[in-house]
Amino acid sequence: MTATWVRRFDATATPDEPEWLRPVRRAAIDRFAGTGFPAPRDEEWRFTPVAAITQAEFEPARPGSRVSRDAIAPFVFGHAEWPLLVFIDGRFDASLSMVPALPGGARAGSLAEAITAGDATLARHLGHHAPVESSGFTALNTAFIQDGAFVHVPAGVELAMPVHLVFVSSGETEGTVAQPRNLIVIEAAARASVVESYVTLAPGRRYFTNAVTEVVSGEGAWTEHTRIQRESDSAYHIGLTHVEQAAGSHYRSFTLAMGGAIARHNLHVRLNAPRIETLLYGLYLTRGDQLVDNHTAIHHDHPDCNSWEVYKGVMAGESRAVFNGKVLVRPEAQKTDAKQTNRNLLLSDGARVHTKPQLEIFADDVKCTHGATVGRLDDVALFYLRSRGIDAATARVLLTYAFAAEVVEEVALEPVRLELERLVRERLGAGD
Amino acid sequence: MLEIRGLRASAGGNEILRGIDLTVNAGEVHAIMGPNGSGKSTLAQVLAGHPAYEVTGGRVSYLGQDLLEMEPEERAQAGVFLAFQYPVEIPGVSNAYFLRAACNEIRKARGLEELDPMDFLDVLEEKLKVVEWGPEIMSRAVNSGFSGGEKKRNEILQMAVLEPRLAVLDETDSGLDIDALRIVAGGVNRLRRPDNATIVVTHYQRLLNYIVPDYVHVLSGGRIVRSGGKELALELEARGYDWVEAPAGVA
Ligand SMILES: Nc1ncnc2c1ncn2[C@@H]1O[C@H](COP(=O)(O)OP(=O)(O)OP(=O)(O)O)[C@@H](O)[C@H]1O
Ligand SMILES: [Mg+2]
């Protein structure tokens, strides 16, 4: 409800809010007050019935939920030395987090603390990249910027270990909203891997997560960004990841979406200079009456850039999936090499997918391809496995897992890849 | 071991098998020859339980069980193995994983303990020798991007690992070079035991020099129109199928 949010905004003024942040938030709430949430007729949101979110009243989650280390343990993976930032209902929890001293002045910590500390990098970037025009949800998140993760890797610094950001919904009360806001700045020739996990302690709870992450990738930087969305099956999740890439940088993303009653992720990447490489991989697994929507947009504004995108989906039950992949190639972006693939596997008669590649190409010397497929398990392969003694149910799981695992293989960091494989196996009911 | 009586089967509304009678005893090798489209692969697939074929008549008993009542996986677990004329590519599933999964299903059915990946490697090492292969092939996805000959050899590797009682080899010799043919045939011979039986479907008498059959059958128009000893294959090679196609001279 738009009016409620505008009223809430007026209550958020604090005397110690830095001068640069107030106008950013003010512009966002003005935008939100003017346009509100996306309407059903909005083409960008056509298949995503956000009315369930926008017509409901969600109370901002109260800070201070007591969550034990044991409760978080199932969501933590990799090595104990990995920097781990835990957020409970959108607020940083220092006692559950583990942030070792990082090399070369690199930092990973609470956004709220960095705001209070008057961090200059933060002031330069926060709210300056993800446009509030992109949707009412982004505007709302920006208007209520408060906490989240701030990761900063200075020029030339390599982080050997990934930074894991775990956003936990405590589910202490029904009907709450958390709006984490994250900023990841990987400066020139730096190298880092960041994992965002969205998880819940209350699998049946209805709540709302509205997350925005801005990523700034400097010249020649290498970034691997993994997003694991495993919210409650009754939750709503709206997320925007907005990426800005400088010359010669390499950004690779992997998105696993398997939670939420309605879950939407927008991934927007701007290629702001020549010789950029962008790799977007995604996997969505839906069941029951879930709806998972992935919208990606790759903006090729300069020459000699490559983008490679593969999203795959497995839909069961009565679930719905949406994939929309925009690739925009401006006239000056000659020698663009862009390839997009979306492959979908329907496991039931009731499952549906809407897939829409959207290539808008205004340069003539480019190589741009796309392909979208929707299919079922291959009967011939199924029979082949059964003819070797593997029962039908196991054979189905094996083929389904093989379909899904192919895209997970693209994750560069092995421990992250192994965890993703474990999650996918667990979800699909595949054994070792 | 296998008794087929009056077997009829159709697919897509067409009757393909029109009354097959065939008896295979333990220890025997039977060769099935016949022109293209005569129903050889259909017979093989029906024995393996392919759901695309509808059995419209007759019965098949295998080791005293009603084979046609069994699911494809139950047949495999009971020791039936079909080497496909066109082995299927399974991207994303490694040969090693697939073979171990299959091997363990069959071991379970036989009341044997499942093999963990390490134990399986030992078994595999032995079996790879049968097809004169190194271990590299095991990390590749099942048949994915394999050459025609490699796919056929992979079928024999599977057969070696699964140790069937009844193996049906559907044109496993087609598309093999001379060396591969020798290896495949050698593999089949090494796996022969008094308590198992083999049916080889082939177009070439050449294979039967390596795998010497006890009986040769000619399938034509969905029926076995002639049966004989190994000399029949030589005669077919010399004279073609025309002279046997009328079902009059069934042996
Ligand atoms: N699934 C199917 N649906 C429809 N027709 C089929 C099917 N399978 C086989 N047939 C037809 O049945 C006939 C026999 O086919 P089959 O593959 O059994 O022949 P074959 O004897 O193995 O031939 P080849 O020597 O060429 O391998 C052919 O006419 C074929 O087109
Ligand atoms: Mg055939």
Side-chain angles (χ1 to χ4, degrees):
Chain A
M1 301 260 114
T2 312
T4 316
W5 282 108
V6 173
R7 252 195 327 278
R8 276 180 195 146
F9 180 84
D10 295 328
T12 59
T14 56
D16 54 351
E17 177 167 12
E19 252 170 55
W20 56 268
L21 184 56
R22 186 75 191 168
V24 169
R25 298 206 302 119
R26 164 76 11 201
I29 197 68
D30 288 348
R31 169 79 194 179
F32 180 73
T35 55
F37 287 112
R41 62 184 178 280
D42 187 333
E43 183 60 28
E44 281 293 300
W45 296 82
R46 202 152 76 92
F47 295 111
T48 313
V50 289
I53 306 171
T54 60
Q55 302 300 309
E57 290 283 353
F58 288 98
E59 282 291 317
R62 292 188 185 288
S65 273
R66 302 294 311 154
V67 172
S68 72
R69 203 170 274 277
D70 286 348
I72 305 300
F75 310 113
V76 177
F77 63 92
H79 302 294
E81 317 85 75
W82 285 9
L84 171 71
L85 276 63
V86 179
F87 300 83
I88 305 297
D89 300 323
R91 306 293 182 94
F92 181 66
D93 188 318
S95 68
L96 295 172
S97 302
M98 214 286 295
V99 190
L102 296 174
R107 293 169 298 157
S110 145
L111 186 91
E113 282 169 21
I115 291 173
T116 310
D119 189 280
T121 306
L122 189 76
R124 195 158 56 246
H125 293 291
L126 184 65
H128 291 296
H129 303 298
V132 293
E133 295 77 21
S134 77
S135 90
F137 293 108
T138 306
L140 191 65
N141 177 289
T142 305
F144 289 87
I145 286 179
Q146 195 169 22
D147 205 353
F150 174 44
V151 178
H152 179 212
V153 185
V157 174
E158 284 191 22
L159 291 192
M161 293 176 289
V163 179
H164 191 188
L165 316 175
V166 184
F167 299 92
V168 183
S169 167
S170 71
E172 210 148 83
T173 45
E174 185 96 353
T176 59
V177 54
Q179 304 201 69
R181 176 67 175 226
N182 309 306
L183 175 67
I184 299 168
V185 181
I186 315 296
E187 307 250 24
R191 196 180 165 93
S193 171
V194 177
V195 181
E196 282 177 56
S197 293
Y198 293 87
V199 304
T200 183
L201 301 177
R205 273 276 197 246
R206 194 181 65 95
Y207 59 85
F208 174 33
T209 302
N210 182 32
V212 173
T213 300
E214 288 171 296
V215 180
V216 182
S217 162
E219 269 187 36
W222 187 98
T223 310
E224 178 159 71
H225 191 186
T226 307
R227 191 178 203 275
I228 303 172
Q229 187 277 100
R230 36 192 303 218
E231 304 270 23
S232 147
D233 279 0
S234 307
Y236 304 112
H237 179 102
I238 304 283
L240 166 69
T241 302
H242 182 98
V243 184
E244 300 278 344
Q245 283 190 262
S249 63
H250 174 104
Y251 172 82
R252 56 195 300 146
S253 139
F254 183 90
T255 305
L256 173 65
M258 52 189 219
I262 296 174
R264 159 88 170 227
H265 183 227
N266 275 40
L267 173 54
H268 297 169
V269 188
R270 300 205 70 98
L271 285 57
N272 292 322
R275 299 184 321 284
I276 287 171
E277 219 168 42
T278 308
L279 275 62
L280 307 184
Y281 298 104
L283 176 65
Y284 40 97
L285 309 172
T286 62
R287 63 184 174 192
D289 51 12
Q290 285 185 291
L291 181 143
V292 171
D293 180 344
N294 279 284
H295 268 61
T296 66
I298 305 173
H299 297 263
H300 279 271
D301 293 353
H302 293 268
D304 302 315
C305 296
N306 301 335
S307 67
W308 173 266
E309 177 173 23
V310 182
Y311 268 64
K312 293 181 113 179
V314 179
M315 281 64 67
E318 301 288 312
S319 67
R320 299 276 177 279
V322 181
F323 174 80
N324 183 291
K326 280 199 188 73
V327 178
L328 302 132
V329 182
R330 296 236 309 232
E332 47 273 64
Q334 298 294 3
K335 307 281 181 203
T336 289
D337 188 345
K339 182 167 172 150
Q340 178 189 88
T341 309
N342 175 232
R343 293 184 61 202
N344 297 282
L345 176 60
L346 300 177
L347 294 182
S348 64
D349 291 337
R352 293 272 180 284
V353 59
H354 299 280
T355 172
K356 186 177 175 192
Q358 225 177 313
L359 274 59
E360 294 174 23
I361 298 160
F362 299 102
D364 46 22
D365 185 14
V366 298
K367 224 164 68 191
C368 295
T369 62
H370 68 87
T373 60
V374 180
R376 294 181 179 278
L377 282 180
D378 179 3
D379 283 339
V380 177
L382 204 56
F383 174 61
Y384 190 66
L385 293 175
R386 295 179 72 190
S387 80
R388 299 304 183 244
I390 299 169
D391 68 81
T394 306
R396 266 188 210 103
V397 169
L398 188 59
L399 291 175
T400 306
Y401 178 72
F403 174 86
E406 192 193 39
V407 66
V408 181
E409 271 168 30
E410 302 294 343
V411 174
L413 237 70
E414 193 189 17
V416 177
R417 186 170 66 240
L418 292 177
E419 171 69 0
L420 290 166
E421 286 173 353
R422 189 188 68 79
L423 288 172
V424 173
R425 261 201 309 273
E426 187 179 88
R427 172 61 171 259
L428 297 177
D432 59 328
Chain B
M1 172 176 278
L2 181 73
E3 220 177 73
I4 305 176
R5 290 289 170 267
L7 182 64
R8 294 175 168 272
S10 54
N14 296 323
E15 184 163 64
I16 304 169
L17 302 183
R18 300 155 182 260
I20 302 265
D21 294 296
L22 181 68
T23 303
V24 177
N25 296 308
E28 293 176 352
V29 174
H30 289 242
I32 296 181
M33 306 183 79
N36 294 134
S38 58
K40 303 181 298 296
S41 292
T42 301
L43 173 61
Q45 299 274 348
V46 165
L47 292 178
H50 196 299
Y53 299 96
E54 192 197 347
V55 173
T56 52
R59 52 192 178 76
V60 178
S61 128
Y62 165 74
L63 295 174
Q65 305 173 72
D66 182 352
L67 190 72
L68 300 177
E69 280 300 303
M70 297 161 76
E71 295 292 336
E73 55 269 33
E74 292 170 340
R75 301 181 194 201
Q77 289 161 9
V80 176
F81 179 87
L82 167 63
F84 283 55
Q85 181 175 0
Y86 305 108
V88 180
E89 300 197 5
I90 313 212
V93 178
S94 80
N95 226 6
Y97 185 92
F98 165 62
L99 260 180
R100 186 168 73 88
C103 177
N104 278 336
E105 290 301 326
I106 284 170
R107 288 179 66 92
K108 258 194 291 188
R110 292 180 187 163
L112 298 170
E113 240 177 77
E114 292 185 47
L115 297 175
D116 64 32
M118 293 315 287
D119 291 338
F120 180 68
L121 271 185
D122 294 341
V123 171
L124 194 60
E125 206 175 318
E126 277 307 301
K127 304 298 184 181
L128 280 165
K129 286 184 195 151
V130 172
V131 288
E132 300 183 20
W133 250 349
E136 309 77 37
I137 201 83
M138 299 312 295
S139 54
R140 288 177 61 184
V142 180
N143 295 330
S144 258
F146 283 28
S147 76
E150 285 170 341
K151 286 181 183 172
K152 296 300 177 76
R153 219 195 272 201
N154 205 26
E155 296 289 284
I156 300 303
L157 173 64
Q158 292 170 31
M159 175 175 147
V161 170
L162 302 181
E163 299 179 340
R165 298 289 302 277
L166 174 69
V168 183
L169 311 180
D170 189 0
E171 293 199 31
T172 304
D173 55 329
S174 296
L176 292 183
D177 64 41
I178 299 291
D179 287 341
L181 181 69
R182 186 183 45 74
I183 290 165
V184 163
V188 172
N189 286 330
R190 276 174 67 171
L191 300 169
R192 277 182 76 170
R193 290 203 319 245
D195 65 342
N196 64 22
T198 312
I199 298 174
V200 291
V201 175
T202 183
H203 284 294
Y204 305 106
Q205 195 277 328
R206 183 180 70 163
L207 176 71
L208 305 179
N209 290 334
Y210 295 96
I211 305 172
V212 180
D214 300 296
Y215 299 94
V216 174
H217 310 276
V218 178
L219 194 65
S220 179
R223 287 194 190 89
I224 290 181
V225 293
R226 195 171 196 101
S227 296
K230 60 175 184 282
E231 344 55 71
L232 179 55
L234 288 167
E235 206 167 347
L236 289 167
E237 183 96 334
R239 300 175 61 184
Y241 288 117
D242 285 352
W243 64 282
V244 290
E245 275 187 352
V250 177

